[in-house]
Amino acid sequence: MTNQTAGRQWKDLFRPVVEAGSISGQAVAERPQQAQLGEAISRALTERTALIAEAPTGTGKSAGALIPVIDEVHQAAAAKKAFRAVVSTETNSLQDQYINKDLPYLHQIYGNFSFSILKGRRHYLCLDHARQNSRGNQALIPIVSALERVLGSLGDGERGDIEKRVGKLGDEQWSMLAGDKFFCNDNQCDTEGCFTARARAKALASDIVIVNQNIHDYRVGSR
């Protein structure tokens, strides 16, 4: 399909958000620039073509990008086909916004899709690395011991999850607890004891994966 009508109209894509706003008493209006962006992305997904687009702050780029992707997931499921998307953000803060705010909100409205976040291994606890670094390190030994006792309740194993258990960590301390490209260079860890492997397994099973475009931060074979 290569004509200008390929893809779906934004009013149809965005209607569930408008209806949800009406039910909650919060008026939600379409934005012309958001509509242009959303329809362009929908068309590119339908035609399987490349698209370069730019929009100013306040346009609603997050919804404009995510809603067409969610729609594509739904259409593929209806046709008993597979469709998976990777959304790459420029910053970790935007990555967290997508996974903690935007996608949960859209999931409440659209439903029937799965999503996950995937960061570089230095963002996740590596207990083997931590144990090795704690040898002879009197400051690190009690931290590692405390983590071992609550291993099953450390969430995703990210720095924030760990600090909830052991208190604020300095960057150097965290570097001794987290995964490292030199220590973990074979990607052979199992999901039982490795938070990075667990995050990757979850990503492989998700319809939408939110990553970060900093290649030094996200590289499957390195960090």
Side-chain angles (χ1 to χ4, degrees):
M1 192 179 283
T2 58
N3 58 66
Q4 291 298 310
T5 61
R8 293 185 64 192
Q9 301 256 329
W10 183 249
K11 64 179 181 181
D12 297 322
L13 291 169
F14 197 62
R15 183 177 291 116
V17 177
V18 175
E19 293 174 348
S22 299
I23 293 173
S24 65
Q26 298 177 343
V28 179
E30 295 183 25
R31 307 175 194 177
Q33 291 174 311
Q34 185 186 56
Q36 288 181 319
L37 176 66
E39 288 181 359
I41 293 175
S42 178
R43 184 163 57 249
L45 290 171
T46 299
E47 298 177 352
R48 298 297 190 264
T49 58
L51 170 69
I52 298 177
E54 185 177 8
T57 301
T59 301
K61 295 187 290 294
S62 296
L66 292 172
I67 291 174
V69 171
I70 294 169
D71 181 65
E72 194 70 18
V73 171
H74 288 170
Q75 290 192 59
K80 299 188 183 307
K81 296 180 179 179
F83 177 85
R84 301 181 66 240
V86 175
V87 179
S88 181
T89 65
E90 183 178 2
T91 64
N92 288 125
S93 59
L94 183 57
Q95 191 181 17
D96 289 332
Q97 176 192 310
Y98 273 28
I99 207 72
N100 296 320
K101 180 181 177 183
D102 297 333
L103 281 169
Y105 169 71
L106 293 174
H107 190 270
Q108 287 183 337
I109 296 173
Y110 292 89
N112 299 321
F113 70 92
S114 58
F115 60 91
S116 64
I117 189 171
L118 184 59
K119 297 181 178 180
R121 66 168 75 249
R122 67 187 180 89
H123 288 274
Y124 301 99
L125 169 70
C126 173
L127 202 55
D128 286 342
H129 191 222
R131 285 166 176 155
Q132 176 176 289
N133 286 328
S134 70
R135 294 171 184 167
N137 187 325
Q138 297 304 313
L140 206 61
I141 288 174
I143 294 177
V144 174
S145 297
L147 292 175
E148 289 176 327
R149 289 194 296 270
V150 294
L151 190 58
S153 58
L154 292 177
D156 294 326
E158 292 191 50
R159 184 169 178 170
D161 298 316
I162 304 308
E163 289 183 331
K164 289 177 183 177
R165 290 293 187 173
V166 299
K168 192 70 175 177
L169 296 166
D171 290 341
E172 184 177 353
Q173 282 181 306
W174 175 246
S175 70
M176 291 189 287
L177 297 173
D180 177 85
K181 68 178 181 179
F182 299 110
F183 182 81
C184 313
N185 61 2
D186 58 4
N187 290 325
Q188 297 301 310
C189 296
D190 58 57
T191 58
E192 184 68 26
C194 177
F195 288 100
T196 299
R198 198 176 303 174
R200 289 174 178 167
K202 186 176 179 180
L204 287 171
S206 299
D207 298 316
I208 302 173
V209 183
I210 308 299
V211 302
N212 187 281
Q213 66 195 38
N214 186 336
I215 191 64
H216 299 293
D217 183 53
Y218 172 78
R219 185 180 296 169
V220 170
S222 297
R223 290 180 179 266

